[in-house]
Structure formats: structure tokens, C-alpha cells
Amino acid sequence: MYFAPHILKAKVDKGPEFDDLGNPVINDNNEWEKIGPCRCDDNGQMKQVSVNGSMTDFSYHIVYEGKDVLPGVEVAVFDSNGDIRGHGKVIKIARCNYFNYSEIWV
């Protein structure tokens, strides 16, 4: 992909943590895993995408390189300076067979 000015990250659950006595430690067990470079297009025209035959509004269309992101996973796109460009849950994914990129709708 020639134009990829942003970075895509997905939220992963590390699972519960326990102290020395076996009591659960209450903290944010989620962290952001870097998926790879991407291009994030804001949906200013209120387009829709078909998911299992029903039309769904999406906020961001993201084209990225990296491993697969499944529907329902929370993702965030960061600018080069670290600001969040967009975030949300993945609605639909499209994998490209020939080129090394995928598309997701958030």
C-alpha cells in the first residue's frame, strides 16, 4: 500500500491478574496491540455497508497492512503524532487475496 499515514491498533484483553494471595487485582487489563500501517477515511457522506443482508452505517473505512482483525474487536487509528484519528468496533472485514492488505469498516 503506497499511502499509509496512520497506525492501526487493536485492543487485546490480557486476562485477569491476581496478587500473591490469589485475589483478583482490579485494573485495566486491556492494552493496545499494533497491527500495522493504515489509511483511515472518515465517513462524512454517511455511506452504508451491507453486513449479512442488512445495511449498517459506518464511521470509518480503514485500509491496512498486517494481521487479520475480526469483527467485534475494538480498534483505534493513530496519527503520526499520536493523536487518535478514529476508534470503534469492527463491523465488517474484507481480505484481499492478491495484495497484502485488508479493509475494515468501523
Side-chain angles (χ1 to χ4, degrees), residues 58-69:
F58 65 95
S59 298
Y60 301 98
H61 173 238
I62 303 166
V63 180
Y64 71 97
E65 295 178 2
K67 69 179 192 174
D68 289 342
V69 179

Side-chain angles (χ1 to χ4, degrees), residues 40-61:
C40 178
D41 299 324
D42 191 1
N43 180 22
Q45 287 82 21
M46 295 305 296
K47 294 180 184 176
Q48 294 183 332
V49 63
S50 175
V51 180
N52 295 331
S54 64
M55 298 303 283
T56 305
D57 291 326
F58 65 95
S59 298
Y60 301 98
H61 173 238

